């Protein structure tokens, strides 16, 4: 069955440090991939998405993610994090012809000023 | 981006009562809406897929008689937790699929349910 794995459960970084959050999925067919962010006390917001085309996807707030099909990965990156990036980040997979989205377990990012 | 609202944002009820949660897509028509449950320190668990004008599709292990879903219009889906018990206390989140933006789902702010 399809699944999404986020191996980093809790990441602590200092401001200006670079960020990379891992996301791996298991599904052999066509996939659509998303990263969502949930700021403290707020609802889930879409950061970026990959459907087709350029595997390097740029999202809001300086985030980007790279789809590497051979590695079944869709890692999220940001060259320089800010305190305001403190949030929980979820990787999600929309697969095949299904409407359903499968979420990873989330990664809590804490940025220290 | 598209906006999805939920009402109420927080509800406290007594055990045995029923609670209705509304999910609305404010600026687009959503033929499909989804209901999730988020447990503390865990990811979102899909409960059911709600299609306008038809019966909802429930995920394995979710009691359809316990969690009644009605998607009567293209902008409104409701989740009713019937005869709520303390173990139903959770954070319930809906999302709506905007067919105009490549199958992207937009999420509501969630409803915190506490059953005493």
């Amino acid at each position: 069955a399809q699944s999404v794995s986020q191996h980093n459960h809790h990441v602590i970084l200092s401001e200006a440090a670079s960020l990379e959050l891992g996301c791996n999925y298991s599904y052999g067919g066509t996939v659509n991939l998303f990263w969502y962010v949930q700021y403290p006390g707020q609802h889930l917001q879409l950061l970026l998405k990959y459907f087709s085309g350029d595997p390097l996807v740029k999202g809001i707030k300086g985030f980007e993610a790279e789809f590497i099909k051979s590695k079944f990965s869709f890692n999220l990156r940001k060259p320089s994090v800010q305190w305001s990036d403190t949030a929980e980040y979820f990787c999600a997979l929309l697969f095949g012809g299904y409407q359903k989205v499968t979420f990873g377990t989330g990664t809590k990012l804490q940025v220290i000023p | 981006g598209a906006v999805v609202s939920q009402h109420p944002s927080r509800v406290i009820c007594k055990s045995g009562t029923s609670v209705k949660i509304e999910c609305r897509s404010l600026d687009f028509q959503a033929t499909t809406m989804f209901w999730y449950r988020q447990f503390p320190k865990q990811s979102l668990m899909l409960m059911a897929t709600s299609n306008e004008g038809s019966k909802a599709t429930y995920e394995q292990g979710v009691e359809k008689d316990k969690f009644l879903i009605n998607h009567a219009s293209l902008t409104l889906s409701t989740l009713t937790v019937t005869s709520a018990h303390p173990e139903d206390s959770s954070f319930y989140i809906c999302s709506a699929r905007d067919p105009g933006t490549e199958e992207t789902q937009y999420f509501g702010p969630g409803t915190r349910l506490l059953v005493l």
Side-chain angles (χ1 to χ4, degrees):
Chain A
Q2 68 291 339
S3 66
V4 179
S5 299
Q6 291 181 246
H7 305 295
N8 313 107
H9 299 294
H10 195 180
V11 173
I12 302 174
L13 293 173
S14 298
E15 275 194 314
S18 64
L19 169 72
E20 181 159 3
L21 300 182
C23 172
N24 288 91
Y25 66 92
S26 65
Y27 183 71
T30 302
V31 295
N32 303 130
L33 293 153
F34 305 81
W35 275 98
Y36 284 90
V37 60
Q38 189 171 28
Y39 296 103
Q42 296 187 32
H43 61 280
L44 279 166
Q45 299 173 42
L46 181 67
L47 261 185
L48 48 79
K49 61 187 177 184
Y50 170 80
F51 274 74
S52 63
D54 189 344
L56 185 61
V57 180
K58 295 193 184 299
I60 60 172
K61 305 187 180 185
F63 286 91
E64 65 177 31
E66 185 174 12
F67 171 55
I68 303 179
K69 190 175 181 180
S70 60
K71 294 185 177 180
F72 297 90
S73 69
F74 190 55
N75 292 354
L76 180 70
R77 300 194 291 249
K78 185 171 183 178
S80 176
V81 294
Q82 300 173 314
W83 176 77
S84 57
D85 294 324
T86 295
E88 189 159 15
Y89 294 80
F90 292 93
C91 183
L93 166 72
L94 178 71
F95 58 96
Y98 296 95
Q99 304 177 79
K100 298 186 290 187
V101 173
T102 299
F103 282 86
T105 51
T107 298
K108 281 192 190 294
L109 171 65
Q110 185 178 355
V111 180
I112 301 171
Chain B
V3 179
V4 176
S5 70
Q6 273 183 250
H7 178 79
S9 58
R10 188 184 298 264
V11 57
I12 302 173
C13 68
K14 292 181 180 180
S15 185
T17 60
S18 294
V19 175
K20 180 186 282 188
I21 303 170
E22 293 185 347
C23 176
R24 293 181 186 272
S25 57
L26 298 185
D27 50 2
F28 65 99
Q29 293 185 327
T31 53
T32 306
M33 290 183 172
F34 304 86
W35 286 96
Y36 296 84
R37 187 170 174 177
Q38 187 176 26
F39 293 96
K41 300 183 180 180
Q42 294 187 36
S43 186
L44 284 76
M45 182 193 79
L46 180 64
M47 299 174 65
T49 303
S50 168
N51 293 296
E52 187 266 338
S54 63
K55 289 184 179 180
T57 304
Y58 290 82
E59 294 301 299
Q60 192 172 12
V62 178
E63 300 175 59
K64 61 181 180 181
D65 295 329
K66 173 98 178 143
F67 298 100
L68 299 178
I69 291 172
N70 187 344
H71 194 158
S73 78
L74 287 172
T75 58
L76 172 65
S77 176
T78 59
L79 168 69
T80 301
V81 183
T82 62
S83 187
H85 289 97
E87 58 266 29
D88 298 324
S89 298
S90 191
F91 195 54
Y92 293 88
I93 304 173
C94 75
S95 71
R97 188 167 66 93
D98 181 357
T101 58
E102 291 185 301
E103 307 290 337
T104 300
Q105 289 187 29
Y106 293 92
F107 287 81
T111 297
R112 175 77 60 193
L113 171 63
L114 177 61
V115 184
L116 302 176

